[in-house]
Structures are given as C-alpha cells and as structure tokens.
Amino acid sequence: MVSVTVGDNSDGPAGVQTWTAIDGEGLVAQGRVAGAPDDVLTLDAAGGPQATAIVGTDVDGGRFASFLLTSTDRVTWTHVELDDATRSAQLGSVGVDATRIVAAGTGLNGRAPAAAVHTLGGATTTTNLTAPGDGQSLTISGVAVNGDHIVIVGALGPDGDVTRPIAYTSTDGGAAFTGPTEIASEPGEVSGVVWTGTEYLATGGAKESGWNRPAAWASADGVTWAREHVEFFGDETSDAGWGSDSADSTLRKPSVVDGKVAVAIDHDDSTWSYATLRDADGTWLPIPYWTAVMKGVGVSSSAVPWGDDGLIVVTQHWKAATQTFMKPGDVTQREITSFDAPFVIGDVHDLGGQIGISAYKPALVVDEGGGWRHTSDPGSYAFAPDGGIVEEAWGPADLATHNSPVTAADEETGSAVVAAGTTDDTGFPMHAWTRQGPEGEWQPAVGIDQNQQTFQNPTALGKTAHGWILAATTARTGAYDDARTATVWTSPDGLTWERAKGHFATDVGRGSGISDICELPDTPVAVGWSEDSAGVTHATAWKVVDGAWHLLTLTDSPGAKFTSCTVTEAGVRIAGNDGSRDKSWDTADLTSYTTAETLDEGSSRNATVEVPGGYVATGAVTTADFTGPVLWLSADGEEWDWIKIPSQSPTDWAQVHLAGEGLLVTATSGYHWAGGNQAWSVPDIGATLKALA
C-alpha cells in the first residue's frame, strides 16, 4: 500500500488530493483532503503500517506557513495543530516510523532550518538545526526515521555555486541533532533518504564532467557514508529515448517496501521516465525499467516497489499525472488526473502608449523523426485603463508563431521594435519587426543573420541616442553542451540591422548574457553576466570602444549578475546581485563602481520605472511579519518605501508598467496555473507618491 499526494489545482486554489495503491486496482483516488489548506505550495508524504503523514507549506496571510496532516487509514485525515515556531519552519520533507513523525524544513528565507517531531497521539516539538553560514545556501530534501535514530538529508554550498550532499543526525528521537556532515565530498544534490531495515540509503545526483549523474549513498549511522556503484545506463536504453550525456540526470526520492527500494530517474534531455530497483540485499538491478510513453513538460517522478519484481511510477507534469506499472517485459500506463492549463502572464510590453502582454503555456513538440523540444504556446493580450486586460493582438501578425518577445519604443516618435524567437527547419532563429510611429504598420526587419548560430533567443532591446540595440543569447545549436553567449545587433532606424563587432564572452566556450540596455553620453551600455573558465558567473557590463563592444567584469563578487540599468546625471546606476544580496552600483565609465545601496537579505528590487512624481519598481521583501512581492515607491530614486502587492503567493513574480497616468501591476505564480494570473491598476500614481511623501 502506498499513498501518493499531489497538488490539485484544476479548478481553483491548490489543495491536497490523495490516491492510494490497492492490490489489483493500482492507484485509486481518495478525493480532496478535507481540512487541508487551500493555497498549497509544496508537499511531501511518508507512511507506514501505523500512520501516514502529509507535510507541506501553504500561504497564510501573505506568509509561508507549514502544516501537518496525519491518517491511520489514508482516507480520514487529522490536521495537527502546530505552534508558531513549527509553522514558520517551511516544512517540506517528512519521515514516519511506528511511534513518531519527523518533518524538516529550511525556515525563514532558508536560514533557520528546523525539525518538528510529532509523537503519534501526542505532542509536537521543534528542534533547530545548525544554520548555514553567511554566503551559504541550504536545501533539505529528505527524512528517515528508525526509532530514536533520525537522519535528515539535504545539500549545502556557497550562494549561487555548486552544493554538496549533507546530513543531520539525531540519536535521541529528535531532541538534538548533530551536523551537517558531508555525505559526499564531490558536488551534488540529494533527493531523499530511506531506512531500508538495515541501513540508510540516500539518492540524488553527483557532478561528473559538469553534469549531475544518478548517485546513491549508504550509511549505517547517517554520519559515515559510502557511494554505491550502480551501472544505470548502457546500450540497452539507447532505443528508449535516453538523451544526451550533456544534461543533468538524477535519482529521485527513494521509497522502500520490505527492504526493497524503488527510485525514479529523471533526465533533463529525455522525454521518457525511468525507474530502477535495489533488492533487500543491496543489489541494484543492472538494467532500469523505462516507460513506453513520453512524459511531457516539467516532470516530477516517483516510484514504489510493487509485487515481486515490479514498480509503480507516478509521473506528474504541468497538465496531467500518469500511473505506470512496470515489470520486466510489461509496461502498463494510464492517466490518473489531468486539466487544461490556462495561459500565464509572461512579459508586459510598453509600446509607447500601448500596453501589450505576452502569455504562454508549456508545450512538448515531437517531430516526425522522433526529435523533441520543450517550448511554449504563445498568447497575446492588451491592457486599457478603462477596459482591463483583454485578448488582443498587439504586435505583428507573425508574432503568434514566436516566443519570448522583447520590445522597446522611442518616446519621441512613438516608433517601436519587437524581437522574438521561433523554431523552423534552420533551428531556433530570431526575427524582428518595426513600426514607424504609433499608427504605423509593422514591417519585418532585415539584417538579423544567423551566421551559423542556429539558436537565437532575444534578451534585451533598447532605444538609445546611439541607435537601437538588440541583444540575444546565441549558440551553434540548441543542445545543452553548446555554450550560449551574448550577441548584439545595432540599427539606426529599427528596420535595418547589423551584427556588432566585439568581445561578448570572458572565456571561449563559456556562457554570457545581456539583460538590459542603457547608455552613457559617449557609448551605449549593456549589462548582464559572463562565466569564467571555471563556470563561475561575474557581473558584466559592455560598452563600445573604437567601434567594437568590450566587456568589463566585477571579479570581486563570484556568482554576481547585473540585471538592469538606468541613466543618472552622473552616469548609470546598475542593479543586480553580488552573489548573496541584491545591490545597486553607480558608475560613470563602467571601470570604477561605488555601491549605491545593498538591500536587506531576502529583499529584491527589479528594474526602476520613472513615473509622474517619482519612481516605482516591483520586487520582494522578507520581514518578521511579511514575505512576498511588493511595489517599491520613491520620490527621488534614492529613498524607497514599499507596499504589499496582494498576490496569492509569497513567491509570485511581479511586474509594473506606466499606463497613462497610472500603473499596471501584474503577478504570476510559479507554483500553480489555475488562478495564477493576477493584475491590478493604480489609477493615479502621482497622487499616491505625493500622499506617501
């Protein structure tokens, strides 16, 4: 018997839905869990003969809040009352044995990890775990319970850099924990952990040649670990859709029945689902099982042992969940739930008096020859202050077959340019169009050549005193192992374009990207990031010197990126992240920088928008009372206040644009689709700023 828990968001807020595996029937839906929260973000489940637990995090009053549900029959569930300390732990992993339930989470802003121990039929206590140090990031991904002995696994490493698998252990039922101790010295990640009856087994991925490879580690005590030698893939899987070696592949969370462990395997460059078994004697099967049906987009898989030599694999993606029975020579699959995902707000575009909204939903495209790609189906909407958001084409007709558009407008003339990517027989080209004046007809631009770069994705577009500037990431192919680097085109009129000369990557074979365009008096400016020879990102700016673009990097902040820039009286102000916190810098020449502002930990501010009476920007804050997206307001661009954006989730991504004398504010949830789009208008932003002054 096994209980599988997923978020159900087909017709409203994301609640909790359960299925139970029954002999001879497979997964049978038990329905939506009564008493569960109605705005769930994350879930985990674990069970045993005495009890089953569901733990997760939901949104309560604009803040993350943990919850715990228990059941003795997997039909009727009890909501366990948690104190404030436990509710703030952001519990996301759970383990169960005969006497207790143990859940763990990383806490506020990922910096206050804790374990909650619930005695069956009794009390719940919370114990703090050792927190990561400054500049360190921690994830927690699994809990295993064996009497008084508890193991919690995760990954720890420098902000924005590779992590290493770690474990916390307790020998007194969770009253105290030691650790974190390394599971492995090599970089990697952990998906979960189980007690097999004789030892602990953690599964995940280990970095090899820059990519995650499926990995498993065993331990008798949760402190000393040994990596197990497992041959997961060979020629036997070549006909089953196994993808390129130049992509991450990872063992998912393990599950155990009578000492036998089942693990699903996900691969970023494969549309198939895989799974494998480890016998009770510790022997891994030499050849994995794989599904006969391609899995879709945005997949998360899990597997459990079933019968003597079979498994059940549950594969969940953005619009369906599928159950697959697997055993040697026999694969049976059926869909257990599905829904039609709506369009999601992507980017908002200011076209000089017109506000266009690009929307999307994920799509899996399979070619006749068996090739495939993850892409998205585009949608087009527009905003009018007196009419709201309506479905409407706002760009050129051909934009309907393109994705990820970027736009810019000339404030003086009303002219506008749109650039977007698409797919065709040549690969993944980029096209652009221009409109001369606010009433002009859209015309296709010329001069944006591929130059043997079949992958082109526009990232930034701007109108400067030096002309129009278009930036894109480009590569020889769309393959994972081809470095994607920044490329720039320039145009005097938005119609005729020329590829710019210059140096756009720090090291040959490493990536770079441009996120915004602005200018200094003597040169256009681009800002973004570039990788060094070790693959570490550095905040990078580009300017034109003697007719060619040159890059300049901040080498004192590994992991840093520039994200936006605005013109000031003294030069430009560049916003970004220094590898740990959001920050802004002032510079007059891109060679020397002074720090203008460093935001509090957990706070962010996006690109600044000039409006009547001051400046606005979207972003996020984390305080003792509130976590979530905010609208930043300033009369002078120096001193800022913020107000809450009343969005559904603390992790919603918000945008703001000037619309007439007011604002359009949008928020998109990354957790669930239905109800994930939200928009508000601020009719008179000048009056709002004046009232706050």
Side-chain angles (χ1 to χ4, degrees):
M1 298 278 290
V2 62
S3 176
V4 180
T5 309
V6 299
D8 174 22
N9 55 5
S10 58
D11 56 358
V16 179
Q17 169 83 39
T18 64
W19 288 260
T20 299
I22 299 175
D23 290 339
E25 298 184 56
L27 291 174
V28 176
Q30 300 296 330
R32 194 177 178 104
V33 175
D38 288 329
D39 209 353
V40 176
L41 302 180
T42 60
L43 288 171
D44 190 28
Q50 283 75 32
T52 299
I54 298 173
V55 71
T57 298
D58 72 314
V59 181
D60 184 7
R63 295 195 62 195
F64 292 122
S66 298
F67 64 90
L68 173 63
L69 306 170
T70 63
S71 176
T72 57
D73 59 8
R74 297 175 180 172
V75 176
T76 303
W77 296 85
T78 300
H79 191 286
V80 178
E81 291 294 330
L82 304 177
D83 60 22
D84 289 343
T86 308
R87 283 173 55 79
S88 65
Q90 294 188 25
L91 303 177
S93 299
V94 65
V96 176
D97 77 346
T99 62
R100 61 172 60 88
I101 295 168
V102 181
T106 55
L108 182 65
N109 203 32
R111 308 204 63 81
V117 179
H118 174 71
T119 303
L120 295 181
T124 305
T125 60
T126 300
T127 302
N128 293 330
L129 306 177
T130 301
D134 291 341
Q136 298 282 305
S137 293
L138 170 71
T139 59
I140 288 177
S141 52
V143 180
V145 186
N146 172 34
D148 285 341
H149 203 282
I150 302 166
V151 173
I152 298 171
V153 298
L156 179 68
D159 291 333
D161 205 346
V162 296
T163 59
R164 284 175 170 77
I166 57 91
Y168 296 91
T169 57
S170 173
T171 58
D172 56 9
F177 283 84
T178 59
T181 57
E182 281 191 347
I183 292 176
S185 59
E186 68 267 18
E189 62 185 51
V190 182
S191 302
V193 63
V194 291
W195 170 253
T196 68
T198 58
E199 60 189 344
Y200 294 98
L201 182 74
T203 56
K207 289 287 185 183
E208 296 178 7
S209 301
W211 304 101
N212 269 343
R213 290 290 175 263
W217 303 268
S219 173
D221 57 7
V223 177
T224 303
W225 297 81
R227 184 171 175 181
E228 301 208 338
H229 179 72
V230 188
E231 291 291 343
F232 287 103
F233 299 102
D235 294 338
E236 295 85 352
T237 60
S238 60
D239 295 331
W242 185 246
S244 165
D245 284 338
S246 300
D248 288 332
S249 51
T250 307
L251 291 186
R252 305 296 295 180
K253 178 183 176 181
S255 62
V256 60
V257 175
D258 296 330
K260 185 179 294 185
V261 178
V263 193
I265 311 168
D266 281 347
H267 190 294
D268 286 352
D269 195 28
S270 176
T271 56
W272 297 71
S273 292
Y274 299 83
T276 191
L277 281 170
R278 180 185 188 266
D279 281 335
D281 63 2
T283 303
W284 289 89
L285 293 187
I287 301 173
Y289 300 80
W290 55 83
T291 66
V293 179
M294 284 182 282
K295 63 188 183 182
V297 180
V299 170
S300 176
S301 300
S302 57
V304 294
W306 193 252
D308 294 334
D309 56 357
L311 323 98
I312 293 179
V313 176
V314 177
T315 303
Q316 179 186 355
H317 58 87
W318 61 280
K319 69 173 189 176
T322 302
Q323 165 198 280
T324 305
F325 286 106
M326 295 183 182
K327 59 190 307 182
D330 182 17
V331 176
T332 305
Q333 191 168 59
R334 69 179 175 88
E335 189 172 86
I336 58 175
T337 185
S338 66
F339 73 99
D340 185 18
F343 281 104
V344 169
I345 292 174
D347 290 306
V348 182
H349 308 275
D350 185 351
L351 299 171
Q354 181 187 22
I355 302 294
I357 300 172
S358 58
Y360 68 94
K361 57 182 175 181
L364 175 69
V365 177
V366 181
D367 301 327
E368 291 183 1
W372 63 274
R373 62 184 181 274
H374 286 165
T375 182
S376 58
D377 292 331
S380 182
Y381 295 80
F383 170 74
D386 57 349
I389 295 177
V390 296
E391 188 171 4
E392 179 181 307
W394 49 266
D398 288 342
L399 194 61
T401 60
H402 289 65
N403 293 294
S404 304
V406 294
T407 59
D410 186 329
E411 295 181 359
E412 295 182 358
T413 66
S415 297
V417 174
V418 178
T422 189
T423 57
D424 61 21
D425 293 340
T426 68
F428 307 89
M430 175 178 65
H431 300 124
W433 304 264
T434 185
R435 184 193 68 192
Q436 299 299 313
E439 304 299 327
E441 297 290 330
W442 289 100
Q443 305 174 64
V446 296
I448 300 179
D449 59 306
Q450 285 187 282
N451 192 32
Q452 299 182 345
Q453 293 172 314
T454 63
F455 177 87
Q456 298 175 321
N457 182 56
T459 58
L461 179 62
K463 173 64 172 69
T464 74
H466 311 278
W468 296 87
I469 311 294
L470 170 62
T473 52
T474 62
R476 291 184 301 105
T477 72
Y480 282 93
D481 51 356
D482 273 344
R484 298 179 180 182
T485 59
T487 304
V488 168
W489 287 263
T490 62
S491 172
D493 55 9
L495 181 62
T496 303
W497 293 82
E498 181 179 6
R499 182 184 290 258
K501 299 177 181 179
H503 189 200
F504 294 102
T506 304
D507 289 279
V508 176
R510 289 296 181 176
S512 61
I514 291 172
S515 54
D516 201 9
I517 305 291
C518 57
E519 61 186 311
L520 289 168
D522 59 343
T523 177
V525 171
V527 299
W529 58 273
S530 60
E531 291 179 333
D532 62 21
S533 58
V536 178
T537 62
H538 296 275
T540 304
W542 290 261
K543 67 178 181 178
V544 176
V545 179
D546 296 330
W549 288 75
H550 288 250
L551 83 170
L552 303 99
T553 62
L554 287 182
T555 58
D556 59 346
S557 299
K561 293 183 178 182
F562 289 148
T563 55
S564 65
C565 59
T566 54
V567 176
T568 66
E569 292 183 0
V572 293
R573 175 163 292 181
I574 303 176
N577 187 284
D578 67 1
S580 60
R581 295 190 181 188
D582 273 25
K583 193 172 183 178
S584 59
W585 298 261
D586 287 328
T587 179
D589 55 11
L590 304 187
T591 58
S592 60
Y593 294 82
T594 58
T595 298
E597 183 182 16
T598 300
L599 298 186
D600 293 336
E601 186 174 16
S603 296
S604 64
R605 188 183 304 139
N606 302 323
T608 300
V609 178
E610 187 173 0
V611 299
Y615 303 86
V616 299
T618 56
V621 300
T622 299
T623 69
D625 301 316
F626 174 75
T627 298
V630 299
L631 180 66
W632 292 93
L633 304 166
S634 174
D636 57 7
E638 301 291 336
E639 299 294 328
W640 292 86
D641 293 311
W642 56 264
I643 57 175
K644 299 177 185 178
I645 295 175
S647 64
Q648 294 177 335
S649 166
T651 59
D652 285 353
W653 174 58
Q655 301 177 76
V656 61
H657 282 265
L658 183 64
E661 296 298 315
L663 299 178
L664 171 65
V665 180
T666 63
T668 302
S669 172
Y671 278 96
H672 47 80
W673 296 90
N677 295 318
Q678 307 144 85
W680 306 265
S681 62
V682 181
D684 188 346
I685 184 58
T688 301
L689 286 168
K690 185 177 181 180
L692 290 174

